[in-house]
Amino acid sequence: MRAYERLLKYVTVRTPSDETSTTVPSSACQFDLAQDLIREFINLGLPKARTDEKCYVYAQIPATPGYENCPKIGFIAHLDTVSDFCDKKIVPVVTENYDGRDLPLGGSDGRVLSVSMFPHLKDLKGRTLITSNGDTILGADDKAGVAEIMTMAERVLTENIPHGQISIGFTPDEEVGRGADHFDVEKFDADFAYTMDGDTEGEIQYENFNAADAIFEIKGVNVHPGSAKDVMVNAALVAMEINAALPEGETPADTEDYEGFYHLVSMSGDVACAKLHYIVRDHDTDKFAARLETLKEISKQMNLKWGLGTVKLTIDEQYRNMAEIIKDGNMHLIENAKKACLAADVTPLILPIRGGTDGARLSFMGLPCPNLGTGGHGYHGPFEHITAEGMDKSVEVMIELVKLYAEMK
């Protein structure tokens, strides 16, 4: 079975994670896909595949006899999708021999997948393009990764490709930042791994953002506006002042590549109280630390101006740049990924991640884990798309990696 055929099945199982939930997994529907995958593993001849009570899926393909001393390689993807545009039945649409032009998606809102929005579409001409019907996400992030890993496993087993032990893991709740929270590195049993959670086939990513959540809570003084002089402290206006104090031109809309940012995710409030929620990102460790110090200084200055206790700043550091781990004796993962791409007739694309993956946190948990592309584009919205051919190439890259590490007895 080709990877895209699996994808067409998996995306119909809705698995949005829920950032407001305190359960693990954050949504019970993720178990539906996990159980489907366990049954599929068993049908492939891997009866020891299992899912735990927190919806993590683990499986191992035992080493070919004589290859037990090869490095143990792992592949990881996530089961969940974003919750945005995921409130309806997901209907995948297959467009064969795509002409490289604007494509009406046919949904109720009349959305069009346009070349002006996604210039790379012209390069997909002649391929089999897969989208949603425009009303929902497709779910290729990251069910494409799941489908490609399952297809790789099937091929290794049915084609008798010599290999060391191959470990497979699927995580819940990656989209709400909790995918690695309960991942059992010891149970996974690999020397290193790759997450299959990138974009264009051939992407190789080992540099991601350092990341933090930052929340300003502002306490105002609310009195009648007729007698407010020198008494009122308008929390909503203080919130606006805080945002204005941030460096100009350092938002996601103003930055690219290795440039960091402050991103105002949400804001709420009135005269009495207000709240600003930011995410802070930077690839460079020192610059990241400086960004956090900037926030602390703004909080300090607001309290000096408006009174102690007016502003409370809470910073929660989320993940770090995995380059620190990969560059420390693990660059073979990148060099071999480049070799695997070339062997699969795919151009290697070494790109920084303007975000993070499970692999970033797993790398600091003792499992070096760069990220590879799956062939998808336009994630987290109704314009999400992928090609069958791009997925095939991503599978080939994994197969070539298996072969490369099987040579290292």
Side-chain angles (χ1 to χ4, degrees), residues 272-344:
C273 58
K275 184 175 181 179
L276 298 172
H277 177 199
Y278 293 88
I279 60 173
V280 186
R281 302 289 189 263
D282 210 298
H283 280 88
D284 184 274
T285 302
D286 292 339
K287 291 180 179 178
F288 177 66
R291 289 185 184 281
L292 301 186
E293 288 302 316
T294 295
L295 297 179
K296 293 174 184 177
E297 182 62 23
I298 290 172
S299 178
K300 176 183 176 181
Q301 293 303 319
M302 291 299 109
N303 280 318
L304 288 173
K305 179 177 180 179
W306 296 107
L308 188 64
T310 300
V311 175
K312 176 186 176 183
L313 171 63
T314 303
I315 295 175
D316 177 23
E317 295 195 34
Q318 298 167 303
Y319 51 82
R320 291 159 58 190
N321 188 345
M322 75 173 99
E324 179 181 335
I325 302 298
I326 302 302
K327 291 179 178 179
D328 185 18
N330 293 296
M331 283 301 290
H332 65 92
L333 292 166
I334 309 309
E335 295 307 315
N336 283 331
K338 289 192 287 187
K339 291 177 183 178
C341 286
L342 293 172

Side-chain angles (χ1 to χ4, degrees), residues 239-409:
M240 294 171 65
E241 191 173 347
I242 289 171
N243 191 68
L246 289 170
E248 188 176 354
E250 296 189 15
T251 73
D254 300 303
T255 55
E256 61 184 354
D257 299 329
Y258 289 94
E259 297 171 333
F261 57 72
Y262 304 90
H263 176 39
L264 179 59
V265 177
S266 64
M267 58 187 297
S268 61
D270 52 27
V271 175
C273 58
K275 184 175 181 179
L276 298 172
H277 177 199
Y278 293 88
I279 60 173
V280 186
R281 302 289 189 263
D282 210 298
H283 280 88
D284 184 274
T285 302
D286 292 339
K287 291 180 179 178
F288 177 66
R291 289 185 184 281
L292 301 186
E293 288 302 316
T294 295
L295 297 179
K296 293 174 184 177
E297 182 62 23
I298 290 172
S299 178
K300 176 183 176 181
Q301 293 303 319
M302 291 299 109
N303 280 318
L304 288 173
K305 179 177 180 179
W306 296 107
L308 188 64
T310 300
V311 175
K312 176 186 176 183
L313 171 63
T314 303
I315 295 175
D316 177 23
E317 295 195 34
Q318 298 167 303
Y319 51 82
R320 291 159 58 190
N321 188 345
M322 75 173 99
E324 179 181 335
I325 302 298
I326 302 302
K327 291 179 178 179
D328 185 18
N330 293 296
M331 283 301 290
H332 65 92
L333 292 166
I334 309 309
E335 295 307 315
N336 283 331
K338 289 192 287 187
K339 291 177 183 178
C341 286
L342 293 172
D345 195 27
V346 176
T347 302
L349 302 170
I350 310 295
L351 299 172
I353 308 172
R354 286 184 63 77
T357 68
D358 283 344
R361 292 182 58 200
L362 292 172
S363 292
F364 287 93
M365 291 166 61
L367 184 69
C369 198
N371 189 45
L372 301 179
T374 63
H377 305 274
Y379 293 154
H380 292 196
F383 300 107
E384 189 179 3
H385 56 282
I386 197 167
T387 67
E389 294 81 2
M391 295 186 71
D392 289 342
K393 287 295 186 182
S394 295
V395 172
E396 289 294 337
V397 170
M398 281 190 283
I399 293 290
E400 294 298 333
L401 279 167
V402 168
K403 292 177 180 178
L404 281 168
Y405 282 104
E407 297 174 358
M408 300 181 183
K409 295 186 181 180

Side-chain angles (χ1 to χ4, degrees), residues 159-181:
E159 297 175 19
N160 297 314
I161 297 171
H163 59 276
Q165 178 177 300
I166 302 171
S167 297
I168 295 171
F170 299 132
T171 68
D173 293 341
E174 191 271 351
E175 296 292 2
V176 293
R178 307 173 201 164
D181 282 5

